[in-house]
Amino acid sequence: DPSGTFVQLRLGLAQTACRKRAPQRHCRVLESRRKPICLACYKFDTSDVPKVLDKYHNCGPSHHLAAKEIRQRDEAECRAVEEAGKGGDTLYLPGMFAFSRGLPA
């Protein structure tokens, strides 16, 4: 995409029996705990040092009753992130441009 690179990540988190203070490599997953699904979308520009043009992230529970609505909202938000930096509908934010008036000669 000439406007930049779009990245979408979907992660499933699980609670383990390991302690935070003494992390271990192999931890037992606690089966009866919540397992949230996280979605993250990022759009980077094409410069030598990429900057984030737009981003969205949300971690919602997988057992939630309104999971379909959350998924639809997440998809819509990610589509908006993917469109960042394209075409003439670029969003102009306050402070993006500065103008000054010249002094009389």
Side-chain angles (χ1 to χ4, degrees):
D1 185 0
S3 67
T5 303
F6 174 72
V7 178
Q8 180 175 342
L9 304 168
R10 189 174 304 272
L11 307 166
L13 303 180
Q15 188 174 358
T16 65
C18 290
R19 295 176 168 259
K20 289 182 181 179
R21 303 231 186 251
Q24 301 170 359
R25 291 188 132 252
H26 303 287
C27 298
R28 183 176 52 87
V29 174
L30 300 175
E31 293 299 325
S32 62
R33 304 300 172 131
R34 293 177 294 173
K35 296 180 181 175
I37 304 290
C38 297
L39 177 70
C41 300
Y42 296 91
K43 178 76 177 259
F44 301 95
D45 68 2
T46 56
S47 63
D48 292 337
V49 180
K51 295 179 184 171
V52 176
L53 294 174
D54 200 1
K55 65 182 175 181
Y56 171 77
H57 44 80
N58 182 35
C59 289
S62 60
H63 65 279
H64 196 276
L65 296 175
K68 184 176 181 181
E69 289 83 9
I70 292 171
R71 189 169 39 253
Q72 289 173 346
R73 185 194 68 211
D74 285 348
E75 289 172 4
E77 292 287 345
C78 279
R79 277 193 301 275
V81 169
E82 188 174 8
E83 296 298 317
K86 287 185 179 180
D89 58 29
T90 305
L91 179 66
Y92 293 104
L93 300 173
M96 187 178 285
F97 298 102
F99 300 95
S100 63
R101 189 169 67 183
L103 297 173

